[in-house]
Amino acid sequence: MKAYLSLGNNLGNREEMLDKAVSLVGEKAGRVLKRSSFYYSEPWGFRSKNSFVNIVILIDTHLSPTELLHATQEIEFTLGRRKKSNNGVYEDRLIDIDILTYEDMQIQTEELTLPHPLMLERDFVMIPLKEIQEK
């Protein structure tokens, strides 16, 4: 099954962290088929002096959507992320991995919504996504 993932961060050696995250996705979630260029952007949804680096990857996975979510959360934890937000407010992060799409599935559970509900509003997602869709 094919899934697009968005990865980003704004702390530490951002590009190196994304490289590590992609490697771990390949080990734990599925084979990485395509990877976008780095996309640099200002924080979205909160203020910070730290800019973001984002990429989008396409993977081939045997995991179900929920299993993929859990695998990406485990990767985030492995790389040092301890919480998704602070009382629902975005903040600086070492790594963030979002599932954008999983095949053409539409899912809405308490834990997971696919396609990602905010992806169309985010240039840092859509520009890298279009880049690898055109490759």
Side-chain angles (χ1 to χ4, degrees):
M1 303 295 277
K2 304 287 190 301
Y4 283 98
L5 307 180
S6 173
L7 297 82
N9 70 348
N10 73 332
L11 295 174
N13 185 329
R14 300 166 302 163
E15 295 85 355
E16 183 179 301
M17 179 64 80
L18 290 174
D19 289 342
K20 286 180 185 176
V22 170
S23 179
L24 287 171
V25 167
E27 291 173 24
K28 298 179 181 291
R31 188 166 57 98
V32 178
L33 303 174
K34 294 184 182 181
R35 175 184 170 153
S36 74
S37 305
F38 292 121
Y39 182 82
Y40 297 85
S41 64
E42 293 305 310
W44 188 93
F46 73 105
R47 293 181 192 270
S48 174
K49 63 183 171 119
N50 304 310
S51 62
F52 274 81
V53 179
N54 294 88
I55 60 171
V56 171
I57 61 174
L58 172 63
I59 66 168
D60 186 18
T61 184
H62 66 279
L63 301 176
S64 72
T66 302
E67 290 170 334
L68 180 57
L69 174 66
H70 295 160
T72 61
Q73 290 171 339
E74 179 184 320
I75 292 165
E76 289 176 335
F77 189 83
T78 298
L79 293 175
R81 184 153 187 198
R82 297 297 179 251
K83 57 186 174 177
K84 289 298 263 184
S85 64
N86 189 3
N87 295 320
V89 177
Y90 295 127
E91 60 186 9
D92 293 328
R93 61 203 68 149
L94 289 168
I95 189 67
D96 184 40
I97 305 172
D98 290 329
I99 305 169
L100 301 176
T101 63
Y102 187 101
E103 291 290 330
D104 59 355
M105 288 186 183
Q106 294 185 12
I107 299 171
Q108 186 155 4
T109 67
E110 196 171 299
E111 193 174 26
L112 179 63
T113 301
L114 293 174
H116 192 287
L118 298 174
M119 65 186 270
L120 296 176
E121 299 174 26
R122 298 172 169 176
D123 284 346
F124 63 85
V125 169
M126 295 309 295
I127 292 171
L129 176 61
K130 286 178 183 174
E131 176 191 330
I132 64 172
Q133 285 178 330
E134 294 171 355
K135 285 184 178 178

